[in-house]
Amino acid sequence: MHLSTDPWVWIAFFFTLSIFTFLWKDNFLYKLAENVTVGIGMGFWIVLWWNQTVVGQFWTPLSTDFGSNFHLIIPAIMGLFMITRIIPKYAWMSRYALAFTIGSGAGFGLPRVIQGGVLQQLYATLLPINFTSVGLGYNLIIIIGTLSSLIYFFFSKEHKGAIGGVAKLGIWFLMIGFGATFGYTVMARLSLFIGRVLFILKDVFGMHLF
Amino acid sequence: MKYFIFSVLIFSLILGIPSFAQNPPKPLTPIITDISGDGGNNLILKWKHFETVPGILYEIYRSENGKDFELLSPLQLKTMTPVWETEKRNDVSNWGFYVIPQKSEDTRIINIQIVKPTPDNLDSFVSLGAEKIVRVEFEVPPAKKLAEIPNQFANGTFYQIIPDDEIAHRPQPSASTAGLFKPFGISLPVDGKVGLEVSAKNSEFEFVDKGKRIASAEGEIPALLAKYGKKIISIVTEKTRYTVKYDDFAFPDRKTEPEKKYTYKLRLYQVKKPIKKVYGESDTISIIPKNEVPFAPTKTVALLDTVSNNVVLHFAYDPSVAGLKSYFDDSIFVIYKTKIGDTLCENGTKINTINSSWKFFTIDKIELDDVFYVEVFDKSGLSAKTSLIEHTIAEFKEPPIPPNLRTVDYENDEGKKIAVRWNPPTLAVGYNIDDVIPNTKVEDISDKNLYLVHTEKGDTVMQITDTTSIPDGAQKISTLSYSIPGNQKVLKIEYNMIVNPDDDVLYPKFSLDEINKVDIDVTGEIKFDDIEDKKYTLEGWMISKTGGKLENPEARVEMTIDATYINNVPIDIPPYTYFIYRGTDAKDFSTFKFVGTVGADSREFVDGFTELPKKVLPEGEFYYFVQVLGPDGSVKTSDIMGPIAPKGNLFNWNKVAVFLATLILVIAALFFFYHAKKGKKFYIRPIAGVVHIDEALGRATEMGRPIIYVTGLGVISELATLASITILGRVAQKCAEYQNKLILPCYDPIVMIVAQETVKNAYSDEGRPDLYREENIYYIAAQQFAYAAAVSGLMIREKSAANFFIGKFFAESLILAETGASTGAIQVAGTDDMTQLPFFITACDYTIIGEELYAASAYLSDDPMQKGSLKAQDFLKLLEMIVIIGGTVAATTGLWWIVHWFQVLGE
Amino acid sequence: MFWKKQLPIIIVFLSGVIMTVQYFVPLHASEFVFDNYIKWGISIGIFAAILGYFSFIRVHIMKITKKAPNWGYSIVALAGVVLMIVAALIDGTDTNGYYMKFYLYICASINATVFSLLAFYISSAAYRAFRARSSQAVALLLAATIVMLGRVPIGDYFSFWTHWGLPSFYDMAQWILNVPNMAAKRAIALGVGLGSLLMTLKLILGIERTYLGGE
């Protein structure tokens, strides 16, 4: 065992243990760690925001090449309107910025969701059904599962009778799917914990067990 | 306030003090090279950075008047972590090696020689200035250790060599051809490569026998240095540290003008912080770049085809300058024809003037005593000539100009591309028969005295019994390994669809006897398993976008595949290369520049005008021609094609499927919106999770505890977040009605703004604006897990009665849901992300799954337009189901080109 | 009224239509719109971020001045912000400076530890699922167990029935992932895709206006 001499490692160790105490109950150490990370994280983002966004993506283009970047004044004005929220009488001016952000985001996403979320998903679902090999026989199950799950999400008819029966099959497929996703991520989540334990053993206490 | 200022001052002092006392090193003065033939527009600065010099950043400064320097460019340095090594191999004090410093031209970098004196000549070496080497270093020591003894820079590359006899005698892997073993009575069941284990070469044994030493890398075999040696950074004697490892830095200044004096200096930073900078500056060095005469292509070769009496000139520069071609400012070649006596190249007849980027030029109808020379002119009018170029006789088989060579405006672009295309669409096929599970057999043949010998013509195997006559570089073969074909074979067809977009080809289809296979994803290969030991007939063809086969003979393949043994037939591509040129005047060859090259495995060259800046479009009309180069050096030049001007396209036809789908979506939605507005009533079935929202709110009212609403980590343009805001409106209304406290911790500032607006309006609509508290809707944290930690803490401290997790979530979903569950709160969650839904389902009481989130806003509101949108959603879903059923039938019946509509055109 | 209600809706409509059309038009002007849409979004975001930081600081200062419960921790949070800004001003933002050291050894360490709590939470979530309330929950639980065991070597160790030609945990897990899980994923993706498309259309056409607020 070879204790670390780096004070930063010990600081990280202290805060790691503070967070783990939350598993027992909410306490002073956890609250301290929580607010430290909130404060330092916020400070980190403020500096990053200033350096990379305000100076890098806004001020520098305007100050070095105003001719081709003058149009940035328009969103800057809209952004200033956003600040008017502080003054209740003029808060309605912030809607322009919101309107642009949401409208352009929606317009940007519309064709891309059609391509990626609908057409490509459809393409992947159009599978041949034949029984020349076992894998292809399962395509039938995939198609039945997809169709029945889609019927589960049909909002125009109540889940009764034939529709109800198919929807029930659909929810079975959905639950099995959710279970598979759950099981798939368990190991990944456990490995995060292993990572912290290794930090404590190796970096703090210098124990090389593996 | 004063305490704050005081603590900041103390803090700065504490940070500032350790870095005050440092003597920054002076960087070495750079050497400047004026690149010749470049019109005086380029200079290269080169300098060495020795590893033991601390520094983080170089800055290069230039002055035009010797006084005012401007920063040209910063150059980051890779800083190595300092290590003080205490390994056994660092201590060489009892090895007996000495270093002799010698002067060199540069006063700051000396030459050194490593010697190992005998007891007899030790004194004479010491009198020459030899110093005993006590230590070698492979890493950069910390600053304190570096400062203990003086540092001296030295030229050369040195290694500490500790050869391991055992490693040298270990057999090394190699390979050879099975056929080479036949003359020695070793017959193998396979053709092709076999694995060998061989001994080291004699040169390696000699290297190892020299023993452990410190040696210069000069004259040693690099592979052996890498195997047994370690590169030294510093050689340390009792008095001096000789640093021998350095990085070469080069900086091109591409913006100089000729005949103008430029002065340069370097600045090396040790510390560069907002309030503190520590750096050293080099001496200045000046240069006046010259506009020299251009370089002529002195290695140009003339090949004469005796059948046609044509000569093909292949332009080439001397290898010493060929690498700098991109800097040259040459402009045109003038080609002359003359007779052998014209040694001064003055009396030639001008044949043509072409652009200096041309690779080849054909001169026809020459006489046998004709010779040639080329005069190159640069942009300022200076010129240089080659010497006389005599022709070499060659036997040419002229390559064909591809059929249907044409230029087209490239489709679906902004007007910056022109394509040169040709035919025919071709399916080129090769195959590989291989073992599925091969068995490897290893034979020991060390008693046969066989040696692997490397010659200029390739490797060969010789039997040598007389150990004194073993050639240099021969390696004794100890074992031979090969695979014994198993019972199962697999056939892998490799293919190349050599087409261009005009051919409208989708994918290939193959038929092996009666077995059909398609490769709809065009991966380049198809496998047939369970192949028997017999001959097969393979047919292949390409399918077009309309489902038909391409009819030209090159698009079809019919071949016999011999699967009786392991063999490989590679794809056969003709060995031609196409060189494409673009010009602006069909009659003036000097305007035609070389733009690119493709091989015979292409049917298209796309000219993207890459020399123009990104946002600039080409203007005017252009002409093109193609030169085809054959493997024997023959060249055939096509006719000039054009004129053609690139045009921007108004619509990207690759996206027509997306466009049609968008149209269907909009028409369906408008149809249902119209009917909803007309007053038609639409039935919406109850949605599980949404129905329980009221129940959760009621329970919170009973318990008199607050409600926490979490919108997740999405930004406002995320649709899940917008859906969450819609549900928030409803929840806020109920909170106003029941007078519940509503807390909303936000991750994104814009979401916070929108949420505040929504809640405020909900409270106003309910007639309770007095209950609205803006401080309860706040920006809590900017990072994922800080947010999760803060919200978890909030749930426990506030002891919320109901938690709503509706929006876009990532890994923190489980932390939030579980923490909330541990407080006993009723929890309703909703997200569209499949990966987080399982956690919400297990940890929350009710979950709104996937698209139910978007349906919720329609379900909760009384607005008929919202219900109309849900109807449109269901209608489109029905369409999707019909497409799935229809597409499945198409795929099952082999009509893949229908299925392809959804893939290809969606790109 | 026009400036307050109608104009924002017109802006939404116009910006939505322009960005949709931009996708289909390959012209230079279209590329210009795309590049600048991102830049404009960033520029607006700068000011929104100011509001967010203002909100954060205001909440904590109010807690301190009103001496609300746990007000001391608000001092810690604010001190953290100030510390990072001062460290960046004095020491710069390179990896050897205090700014990055605070972030890496404190903030990143805490974040990683919070993330690692998932290992415990996933166990308690699995326990909760064990108390299966319906047959569908049993299906979820079984699928999760099989996939969990199929992804670790111990699952193959327990699969004694493979001697009789039956599939091991790994084979069963692969089948579950490739067949029913795939079907469920597709259905959700198709449904979510459609839902989000209608939502987008409602936004562009001005039918969905909650985010703009009242008045």
Side-chain angles (χ1 to χ4, degrees), chain A residues 19 22 25-27 30-35 37-46 82-83 85-86 88 91-92 94-95 97-98 101-102 104-106 109-130 139-140 143-144 146-160 167 171 173-183 185-186 189 192, chain B residues 520-521 655 657-658 661-662 665-666 683-688 716-717 719 722 747 750 752-754 756-757 760-761 772 774 779-783 785-794 796-797 810-811 813-815 819 834-839 841-842 849-852 855 870-871 873-875 877-878 880-889 891-892 896 898-904 906-907:
Chain A
I19 295 291
F22 188 64
K25 68 172 188 175
D26 187 28
N27 61 81
Y30 175 79
K31 284 184 233 188
L32 178 71
E34 173 203 320
N35 283 279
T37 194
V38 160
I40 290 185
M42 185 68 73
F44 178 81
W45 280 107
I46 289 175
M82 195 81 99
I83 306 273
R85 284 199 53 81
I86 303 172
W92 59 269
S94 62
R95 288 178 196 167
L98 273 175
T101 309
I102 287 174
S104 54
L110 180 68
R112 285 164 180 83
V113 170
I114 290 178
Q115 185 197 323
V118 177
L119 289 180
Q120 274 187 12
Q121 293 294 330
L122 279 177
Y123 173 71
T125 317
L126 304 181
L127 302 162
I129 302 174
N130 61 57
N139 287 347
L140 181 63
I143 287 161
I144 291 173
T146 309
L147 289 172
S148 57
S149 303
L150 280 174
I151 287 183
Y152 172 79
F153 288 117
F154 209 64
F155 299 111
S156 304
K157 286 258 186 276
E158 220 176 327
H159 285 170
K160 278 192 181 140
I171 195 73
F173 271 95
L174 287 169
M175 286 300 151
I176 293 173
F178 292 142
T181 310
F182 189 101
T185 46
V186 164
R189 302 290 156 94
L192 300 163
Chain B
I520 53 162
D521 292 323
K655 296 177 179 174
V658 181
T662 310
L665 165 78
V666 171
Y683 169 74
I684 307 290
R685 70 161 171 85
I687 300 172
I716 195 60
S717 44
L719 295 168
L722 281 166
Y747 175 80
I750 301 189
M752 178 197 79
I753 293 166
V754 174
Q756 285 171 346
E757 189 76 28
K760 186 173 163 189
N761 287 316
Y772 170 65
E774 195 168 277
Y779 183 46
I780 198 171
Q783 290 182 305
F785 291 105
Y787 180 74
V791 175
S792 300
L794 182 73
I796 289 186
R797 270 157 247 149
F810 300 94
S813 59
L814 185 56
I815 300 175
T819 310
M834 171 86 173
T835 45
Q836 307 312 321
L837 278 166
F839 305 118
I841 288 175
T842 48
I849 300 173
E851 66 173 300
E852 290 176 343
L870 207 48
K871 274 299 183 197
Q873 204 167 316
D874 276 349
F875 170 74
K877 213 172 305 177
L878 205 55
E880 275 181 349
M881 289 193 260
I882 294 169
V883 164
I884 289 173
I885 294 170
T888 305
V889 169
T892 309
W896 282 105
I898 294 177
V899 172
H900 241 277
W901 257 73
F902 295 91
Q903 192 232 13
V904 175
E907 281 162 15

Side-chain angles (χ1 to χ4, degrees), chain B residues 361-381:
Chain B
F361 185 73
T362 307
I363 308 167
D364 50 11
K365 300 196 193 71
I366 65 136
E367 289 161 16
L368 280 173
D369 60 347
D370 281 338
V371 289
F372 311 91
Y373 62 91
V374 177
E375 188 172 11
V376 58
F377 286 84
D378 73 5
K379 293 181 180 117
S380 57

Side-chain angles (χ1 to χ4, degrees), chain C residues 46-174:
Chain C
I46 288 172
F47 295 90
I50 294 174
L51 276 175
Y53 301 141
F54 174 72
S55 160
F56 175 86
I57 292 169
R58 188 177 78 151
V59 157
H60 286 285
I61 287 182
M62 275 177 69
K63 268 192 180 164
I64 295 167
T65 48
K66 287 187 183 167
K67 298 268 190 294
N70 298 314
W71 65 271
Y73 297 107
S74 292
I75 298 180
V76 172
L78 288 175
V81 175
V82 170
L83 183 73
M84 288 298 270
I85 294 173
V86 166
L89 281 173
I90 291 173
D91 213 29
T93 54
D94 56 301
T95 37
N96 293 326
Y98 282 93
Y99 168 80
M100 280 309 284
K101 283 210 161 97
F102 283 138
Y103 177 73
L104 287 169
Y105 286 96
I106 301 177
C107 198
S109 192
I110 292 175
N111 286 348
T113 314
V114 172
F115 205 0
S116 72
L117 291 179
L118 280 169
F120 298 92
Y121 287 140
I122 210 165
S123 321
S124 73
Y127 168 70
R128 211 179 298 281
F130 276 120
R131 300 179 295 144
R133 284 168 289 190
S134 66
S135 47
Q136 288 147 6
V138 172
L140 189 151
L141 146 75
L142 266 176
T145 313
I146 294 172
V147 170
M148 248 190 284
L149 287 171
R151 297 230 321 139
V152 289
I154 209 169
D156 276 344
Y157 185 73
F158 282 148
S159 308
F160 58 88
W161 49 81
T162 48
H163 292 303
W164 303 314
L166 293 167
S168 65
F169 272 121
Y170 174 78
D171 298 322
M172 288 194 276
Q174 285 301 113

Side-chain angles (χ1 to χ4, degrees), chain B residues 178-189:
Chain B
L180 294 174
F181 291 89
K182 280 204 185 114
F184 308 104
I186 299 171
S187 118
L188 302 169

